Structures are given as C-alpha cells and as structure tokens.
Amino acid sequence: MSAHRMLGSPAVRIALPVATIALAAAACGSSSGSKTTPAAATGSAASGSSVTLDMKSGAAGAYLTDGSGKSLYEFASDTAMKSTCTGACVSAWPPLTSSSAAMSGTGVNAGDIGTLTRSDGSRQVTYKGHPLYYFSGDTAAGQTNGQGSTAFGAKWWLLSPAGAPITSSSSSSQGYAY
C-alpha cells in the first residue's frame, strides 16, 4: 500500500488529530503547588487560576512580588482604581491580571488586594487601589530593573506591603528607558 493511500485512510485521519491533541495536553502539564506563576509575555495568570502576592526584601526595602518572586510595580500616572497603561505601554509593562481572586502570601494583607476591569475586559490585580504591573526587563525573580523608570510619561515604582510607592531608585541592575 502506498504512503499516500495510508495517510488518507480513515484510521490515520482520526489518529493524527487525536495524537496532536494528546501531545498538546501533555505539554501544558500542571503543578500541584498552590501558587500560580503569571505568564511573562502577558502578565496573566493561567486561565481559571489565581495569582499570589508576596513580599520580598532587597536593596529598595520590602516590596511586592508575585508568588514566584517577580517584582510588581505601580505606575505614577494611574489614578485610584484606573490603569492608564495601554497600547505599547502594555508590551513593556504587562499588567498583572487574573481571572479569579488574587491570594495573599507572606507579608501581604489580603484585605488590600482587589481588581479592576481594564479597557480590554481583563481583570487587573490591584493593591490598595494601585494597579500592578510586571516589567519586561525583569527576566528573573528578584530583579528590579524597572524601578524609577520614566517610561510612558511617569515614574514606575516598586510598591511596599504598606501600599506606598518606594521612590528610591535602587535597582538590581541598570534601568531601561523606552
């Protein structure tokens, strides 16, 4: 039997899509841990999952991170419960979003965590009314490369567990300009 004729058989036409789906599902995998790490490209938690806010101490003092230790920032241009980072800004400063309630971790008050609805309909996590963001220049836990940046017309600051912007310009390496 020719290869072309075998690939056209009903059994192969069914088996190939089933195998493709099984491989894709296996690649997704899952973790038994209680904390979900937001995707770096979008800043979003996996669909249907929650994010955890934690506290980390570094050169700038105690500041908020996600459950995997990635730094979280506030944008001085934002107003209470309103994000002003849109368009190109979102590529450099992905918002921390979650489809469910965010959880509090070490050093974080659960009552200070909230969400707002962004213009695209996604739910952005807030802390004491400050919308939270990642910085695309932070590629590993504990980096604070965005601290003090003036990208997109206002300052970007780490946020303390008390909910106050940390306005010292200490960072884990040189800051980025956009």
Side-chain angles (χ1 to χ4, degrees), residues 42-94:
T42 63
S44 299
S47 179
S49 63
S50 177
V51 295
T52 299
L53 298 183
D54 275 328
M55 178 194 74
K56 180 172 178 67
S57 292
Y63 59 93
L64 295 180
T65 68
D66 69 5
S68 66
K70 288 200 73 173
S71 300
L72 295 170
Y73 298 86
E74 67 101 33
F75 186 33
S77 176
D78 289 346
T79 58
M81 300 303 292
K82 179 158 176 40
S83 170
T84 60
C85 180
T86 59
C89 179
V90 170
S91 295
W93 298 90

Side-chain angles (χ1 to χ4, degrees), residues 33-39 43-46 49-56 63-72 96-110 113-114 125-127 132 134:
S34 63
K35 296 179 182 177
T36 302
T37 303
S44 299
S49 63
S50 177
V51 295
T52 299
L53 298 183
D54 275 328
M55 178 194 74
K56 180 172 178 67
Y63 59 93
L64 295 180
T65 68
D66 69 5
S68 66
K70 288 200 73 173
S71 300
L72 295 170
L96 173 61
T97 60
S98 180
S99 59
S100 60
M103 299 179 291
S104 63
T106 305
V108 177
N109 183 358
I113 300 171
V125 178
T126 63
Y127 192 73
L132 299 176
Y134 291 103

Side-chain angles (χ1 to χ4, degrees), residues 85-170:
C85 180
T86 59
C89 179
V90 170
S91 295
W93 298 90
L96 173 61
T97 60
S98 180
S99 59
S100 60
M103 299 179 291
S104 63
T106 305
V108 177
N109 183 358
D112 292 333
I113 300 171
T115 60
L116 62 84
T117 302
R118 293 181 55 79
S119 60
D120 65 3
S122 64
R123 287 179 29 166
Q124 184 170 3
V125 178
T126 63
Y127 192 73
K128 287 203 171 188
H130 297 276
L132 299 176
Y133 303 86
Y134 291 103
F135 176 53
S136 62
D138 290 344
T139 58
Q143 291 183 335
T144 58
N145 296 319
Q147 177 68 349
S149 171
T150 57
F152 300 97
K155 291 280 194 170
W156 293 87
W157 300 116
L158 295 167
L159 200 61
S160 78
I166 301 170
T167 58
S168 68
S169 293
S170 298

